[in-house]
Structures are given as structure tokens and as C-alpha cells.
Amino acid sequence: MKQIATGSMDSCVMIWNMKPQMRAYRFDGHKDAVLSVQFSPSGHLVASASRDKTVRLWVPSMKAESTSFKAHTATVRSVNFSGDGQNLVTASDDKTIKVWTVHRQKFLFSLNQHINWVRCAKFSPDDRLIVSSSDDKTIKLWDKNSRECIHSFYEHAGYANHVDFHPSGTCIAAASTDNSVKVWDIRSHKMLQHYQVHSGVVNSLFFHPAGNFLITASSDSTMKILDLVEGKLLYTLHGHQGPVNCVAFSRTGEHFASGGSDEQVMVWKSNFDCAEGNDGVRLQHKTAFSLQALPASSTAHPSHPSVLRSQASEPTEHFTGQDSHTAAHTQSASRSGSHSKASQSHTHRHLSTSSSSTHQTQTRGLPQHSSQVQAQSQFSDGGVPPGLASTLEHIIGQLDILTQTVSILEQRLTLTEDKLKECLENQMEIGLHLQRREEA
């Protein structure tokens, strides 16, 4: 099954099933705009970050079960799963980066050297490092174990909106507000490549899983595909009517998705093996179909059909709607997008795509929310029967609830122990005081 998760300014998270005639689910819970969403590597959980300062973990099923925790003291702009799915890293306007456990939402540690808003934070492919970008014009590389900043890369003309690790884990790429894209070697700390191919702010970027290509999304309404081997611009893609907020490849790299301020999410098919010159990306037809949005759990919301269409030289899949979201992410690992529901409009800000339970991709731009959308989309192809998958999801959801309950009980037990200790100490002090009075 293929799924896309999106987040929006309307404070909702939506899970879209991309197969024809299948329903989409709308999850309510956040109190403010959802700025980032991402599937766990297994695909059994979706994490969302919001301006309401919280992070939520959702079970992407009809029951819409979720747990919430206050992650920061200001807007949470980014959330990212570790490769093993055990930890989360969050980035916030409170200038900090925090790492948490997934199953108990337990705070592990904070990274505090940025002096301005932190836009993005991600784990390296081997989970040993964390990269972060901030409005303080630095990109910092952190050692997860020692919790120390290994190196700071400086942006002199602007700041990085988005950063991403190369699949090999040896270099990083940064999308900057000075319209440039830079690739850095994290071992030598040297800049490897510098691309000045956009005429507007670069909002998002994503490495092809093979590591040979990099796709970028910009406010100049275009996407660029860069050939990292040759160090040149390979292709320019037009389609969005306005800024492109996010872009992401699927796990296999056969597809990529983009989300824009035009409240649309577009899914494209690429063919790099047959690429020659400027024909590096081929856009193929796909049968159009509609999506029906089904409210999750007992929440009563009208369903909104989303149209998926494709044309020659246009996206393979095109989603439009009238509910706008401002956060989107997919199960592969990219950011920015918008949601789409029928009768509502969305502007995608975060996008991610993924095609299996072991990879994450972020996607932006599904037009079915009533405000801007930062969306994450996940493409997952599985052979598990729907009935069994639903049962497994329910079991996992119950286990997560049990885990959270145990965590709460542990906290209460700790408080009880502390109070008992305090009472015993007070009794001892009273006893000593009485003994001294008797001796006197």
C-alpha cells in the first residue's frame, strides 16, 4: 500500500492512501499549525511537530490513536526518526535540538549551541551523528554519543532552510536563503560543490537513494535535478504555480514528490538509467483517480475528494483539494508540502516519501487542507493482507498505550518514593529534636 502523510496550517495531520477508491484519514489533536511530519522506518507510527510546542506520535489507522508530549518551549519546526526507529530528534525556535526515545517519549539530552531558531535537525544514516541548521547562519555537526559539536559550517550570505545527509553519510547538502545549494564533506570539512542554479530561496532538497543525484525545490517555482558526479545541473522542472516548498524521492528513487504554495502535491516518475543530456527525468502518464477523505475515529468531518491526475510532461500524480496544510513529510526523508482535501485548499510546506517500512521520505504539498500544508508523504508497497495489517496496527497502538501507562506509573512511583523519603527525614529530625530536649 502507498501512503502519504501531510501536516498543515489547519493543525491537522492527514494520511492518504494512494490506491484508487481508498479512504484518507484526518487526525485532529494539535492546537496550532503542523510544521513537520514523518513516518517511522517501520511505517507503524507517524510523528508530527507543531507550533503548539508539542510532538505527537500517531498510529496511522482509522482509530487515530496518538500520544503527545511537550517537546520545546517554542515552535517545533522539525522532527526526524533515527534509522533504527528508536529515537526522535526535534528542532525548535527555542534554539535547541532535543533527542527523545520513541516508545516512552523520554527526554534524553539537548544540544544548545545555536543562538537563533533551529530550522532542521536530522540523524545520519548510521545514527552516530546529527546535523542541524539555524538562522544563526551555521550548520552544526554533532556527535550523538558525546553530545558535542564536532564542527560548524558557516553560511555568510544567508542561512540554511534545510539540510540532509548523503546516503553514504560522508557529506551533507544545505538549501540556503541566498538561493544556493552547497555540498560539504563532513570528514575534511571542505565544500565539495556549490550550485547557484535558482533565482529564489531554496526551501528543500533531497538526495537520490543511489547518491548520484540531488533534487532541490525553490521559491522561484522550479525544481532542479543536479548531477553530483558531473557537478552540473541536469534538469529543470516546472509545474507548480508559485514557490515549491518541499521535495523528496521515494525509497527506490523511481518516484519523487513535490509540494508547493499553490496547494498542490505532485508525484513524478523518474528514469535516470535512460538519462541522456537533459532527458534525465522522464514524466509518464498514470491513470487519474480520486481520493475520499474519511474522518479518523469518531471525529465528524466531511470527507473531501482529492483528484490525482497526470499529463505528459507533468506530474504522474496530482492531488488537489480545499483544506490547506502547512506541514508535510514522507517516510523517506525530506521536508515541505501542503495538504489537499476536496472543498478546502492547502499550501504544502513539508514533504516526505517512502516506499517501505525501512525508509523515510518527507514530502510537501497536498492541497486538501484549509490552510498551508507542510506534508510528509510515504510510499509503502507491502504484501500484508489488509485485515492482518489492521490487526497488527491495533496491537502496536495498544502496546504504545501500555508503554505510556507504565511510564506514567513509574513517574508516580518516583514521586511517591520522594514524598516517603521526605516524610521519613522529617520524622527523624523531629525524633532527634525531642531527644535533645529530653537530654537537656
Side-chain angles (χ1 to χ4, degrees):
M1 177 190 297
K2 294 184 178 181
Q3 289 183 313
I4 296 179
T6 60
S8 166
M9 289 296 285
D10 61 10
S11 76
C12 294
V13 172
M14 295 190 67
I15 306 295
W16 302 90
N17 293 301
M18 297 180 64
K19 287 187 176 181
Q21 309 305 321
M22 292 194 69
R23 298 275 185 170
Y25 305 115
R26 173 172 173 168
F27 300 157
D28 292 321
H30 284 294
K31 305 301 182 185
D32 206 337
V34 181
L35 301 178
S36 177
V37 291
Q38 188 185 23
F39 277 94
S40 64
S42 67
H44 294 146
L45 292 173
V46 174
S48 58
S50 171
R51 283 183 183 168
D52 65 10
K53 309 174 187 177
T54 69
V55 169
R56 278 186 176 267
L57 292 175
W58 308 81
V59 178
S61 64
M62 189 171 179
K63 290 189 176 181
E65 297 166 334
S66 71
T67 59
S68 175
F69 61 98
K70 185 175 181 181
H72 292 269
T73 59
T75 295
V76 188
R77 292 194 174 271
S78 169
V79 62
N80 179 248
F81 279 96
S82 59
D84 60 9
Q86 298 301 309
N87 296 318
L88 285 170
V89 61
T90 57
S92 170
D93 286 0
D94 64 10
K95 308 174 188 177
T96 68
I97 302 146
K98 293 184 179 180
V99 177
W100 315 77
T101 61
V102 171
H103 294 294
R104 299 201 177 192
Q105 298 89 55
K106 178 182 177 183
F107 170 71
L108 295 178
F109 60 88
S110 180
L111 306 173
N112 305 301
Q113 293 188 25
H114 282 295
I115 58 175
N116 208 331
W117 293 358
V118 186
R119 294 273 174 177
C120 178
K122 286 191 175 183
F123 286 105
S124 62
D126 60 8
D127 293 336
R128 292 188 306 106
L129 303 174
I130 294 173
V131 67
S132 62
S133 64
S134 168
D135 285 14
D136 63 11
K137 297 187 176 182
T138 68
I139 299 166
K140 293 187 182 294
L141 197 63
W142 311 81
D143 185 292
K144 179 186 170 185
N145 293 327
S146 68
R147 307 175 188 180
E148 295 180 351
C149 180
I150 300 173
H151 187 75
S152 293
F153 301 93
Y154 293 93
E155 292 276 356
H156 299 289
Y159 60 82
N161 275 320
H162 187 73
V163 288
D164 193 20
F165 271 101
H166 187 273
S168 68
T170 60
C171 59
I172 58 172
S176 179
T177 58
D178 66 0
N179 307 348
S180 72
V181 174
K182 300 181 181 70
V183 179
W184 308 80
D185 189 313
I186 65 172
R187 298 163 298 182
S188 65
H189 304 152
K190 293 182 178 179
M191 185 188 299
L192 300 178
Q193 295 178 341
H194 183 190
Y195 297 93
Q196 199 77 40
V197 293
H198 285 287
S199 59
V201 171
V202 186
N203 298 312
S204 177
L205 50 74
F206 202 91
F207 282 103
H208 186 273
N212 295 332
F213 304 99
L214 180 69
I215 189 166
T216 61
S218 170
S219 293
D220 63 10
S221 78
T222 70
M223 291 173 288
K224 308 279 186 178
I225 294 179
L226 306 174
D227 186 331
L228 300 177
V229 177
E230 298 293 332
K232 66 179 183 180
L233 172 64
L234 180 64
Y235 207 81
T236 298
L237 296 176
H238 299 270
H240 287 283
Q241 304 299 314
V244 187
N245 297 321
C246 60
V247 68
F249 279 108
S250 64
R251 179 182 63 86
T252 61
E254 294 179 359
H255 297 85
F256 59 93
S258 60
S261 296
D262 57 1
E263 303 173 356
Q264 307 216 1
V265 169
M266 299 182 180
V267 180
W268 311 67
K269 187 168 184 178
S270 58
N271 189 344
F272 291 108
D273 292 336
C274 300
E276 293 181 6
N278 286 339
D279 295 327
V281 177
R282 297 184 180 181
L283 306 176
Q284 302 183 4
H285 293 276
K286 183 169 182 177
T287 304
F289 63 87
S290 63
L291 299 176
Q292 296 293 329
L294 177 68
S297 190
S298 60
T299 308
H301 292 287
S303 63
H304 298 278
S306 165
V307 178
L308 177 63
R309 69 182 182 186
S310 69
Q311 300 177 359
S313 303
E314 289 195 1
T316 330
E317 302 174 355
H318 187 178
F319 299 83
T320 57
Q322 295 178 354
D323 270 343
S324 60
H325 287 242
T326 333
H329 183 123
T330 37
Q331 191 181 358
S332 290
S334 99
R335 301 177 169 185
S336 55
S338 70
H339 285 220
S340 69
K341 266 187 171 182
S343 307
Q344 294 180 343
S345 61
H346 301 269
T347 301
H348 293 271
R349 294 239 163 176
H350 187 79
L351 169 70
S352 117
T353 55
S354 91
S355 4
S356 80
S357 63
T358 56
H359 288 272
Q360 298 173 342
T361 305
Q362 294 177 333
T363 345
R364 290 161 78 178
L366 288 179
Q368 283 200 352
H369 286 265
S370 50
S371 56
Q372 288 187 339
V373 184
Q374 287 187 341
Q376 165 182 7
S377 67
Q378 165 184 7
F379 296 89
S380 60
D381 303 315
V384 182
L388 178 58
S390 177
T391 301
L392 290 174
E393 287 178 353
H394 178 70
I395 292 172
I396 291 170
Q398 294 301 315
L399 287 174
D400 286 338
I401 292 173
L402 286 173
T403 300
Q404 186 180 21
T405 302
V406 171
S407 178
I408 293 172
L409 290 174
E410 287 178 347
Q411 293 175 8
R412 291 180 178 176
L413 180 59
T414 301
L415 290 173
T416 302
E417 290 174 346
D418 291 342
K419 288 189 175 295
L420 180 59
K421 183 178 179 180
E422 183 180 350
C423 290
L424 290 174
E425 290 175 349
N426 290 337
Q427 288 181 358
M428 289 179 64
E429 290 179 1
I430 292 172
L432 289 174
H433 181 68
L434 292 174
Q435 184 179 359
R436 288 171 183 168
R437 288 184 61 182
E438 289 176 358
E439 291 176 353

